Amino acid sequence: MKKLLKHYSPNQNELKNHKSLGWLSQYLTNPSLWNFNRKSVSKAFAVGLFCAFVPVPFQMLLAAPSAIIFSANLPVAIALVWITNPITMPPIFYACYKLGAWVLGVGVEQDFVMSLAYVWQVFDVIWQPFLLGCLIVSVVSSIIGYFSIQFIYRLRVYKRKSKKN
């Protein structure tokens, strides 16, 4: 899998000399943005999972600069925001709303309807539990993602070393 991802990732020299990227090309030459190693991929999971549960449109536009700032693998961070896509977004964000309502100790709207019109109608009631639930899920999932990738990489190294012995 790592070889396949490396094959389709852009070359650093191509990015550096690409005229259409303009001022952005200077930020895209950081090797960590394109390396598939333990540090950059685990940071990418943290960034991508955090941004995936932030309730804003075009989450990739939030994940890309975050990956650049934290020197995380850019393609992985951007791909992970698609966990919340148009199909999965309603149930995930409803679960975030229920979590936030539970933490705040407020009642959940009993006649909740999965429609944008209804959400706008009751937004003044649901916005606090919804945003709190999204924040909790963002933080917890990014921490779990970061340490899971760290653990998986270390486990793979341990298995490789034990096979050699």
Side-chain angles (χ1 to χ4, degrees), residues 29-48:
T29 57
N30 181 352
S32 295
L33 298 177
W34 310 105
N35 286 340
F36 291 92
N37 58 34
R38 179 177 53 90
K39 287 177 77 173
S40 65
V41 172
S42 58
K43 287 180 193 178
F45 265 74
V47 167

Side-chain angles (χ1 to χ4, degrees), residues 2-161:
K2 187 175 176 180
K3 288 180 184 178
L4 178 71
L5 291 171
K6 275 187 173 183
H7 176 73
Y8 287 107
S9 291
N11 184 340
Q12 269 186 285
N13 292 330
E14 291 173 5
L15 289 172
K16 194 182 291 185
N17 299 325
H18 207 280
K19 302 288 186 222
S20 67
L21 293 173
W23 62 271
L24 194 58
S25 64
Q26 69 184 358
Y27 297 106
L28 297 177
T29 57
N30 181 352
S32 295
L33 298 177
W34 310 105
N35 286 340
F36 291 92
N37 58 34
R38 179 177 53 90
K39 287 177 77 173
S40 65
V41 172
S42 58
K43 287 180 193 178
F45 265 74
V47 167
L49 289 172
F50 184 88
C51 294
F53 299 106
V54 175
V56 295
F58 308 110
Q59 296 158 323
M60 292 185 299
L61 296 177
L62 182 62
S66 299
I68 292 169
I69 290 168
F70 293 109
S71 297
N73 184 285
L74 187 62
V76 172
I78 290 173
L80 280 168
V81 301
W82 282 97
I83 289 172
T84 51
N85 58 58
I87 295 169
T88 62
M89 210 175 275
I92 288 173
F93 284 157
Y94 181 67
C96 289
Y97 162 65
K98 285 183 75 170
L99 173 65
W102 177 75
V103 169
L104 290 175
V106 297
V108 177
E109 289 288 316
Q110 296 302 321
D111 55 344
F112 194 88
V113 178
M114 289 279 191
S115 75
L116 198 54
Y118 178 76
V119 169
W120 284 120
Q121 182 182 355
V122 296
F123 192 73
D124 59 330
V125 175
I126 67 169
W127 74 272
Q128 288 176 328
F130 172 62
L131 291 180
L132 178 63
C134 287
L135 179 64
I136 292 169
V137 171
S138 290
V139 169
V140 169
S141 66
S142 66
I143 291 169
I144 290 172
Y146 178 84
F147 287 111
S148 295
I149 297 302
Q150 290 278 329
F151 176 75
I152 290 168
Y153 265 81
R154 290 173 195 261
L155 186 65
R156 287 183 61 216
V157 168
Y158 174 76
K159 284 184 177 181
R160 265 190 259 141
K161 284 184 178 180

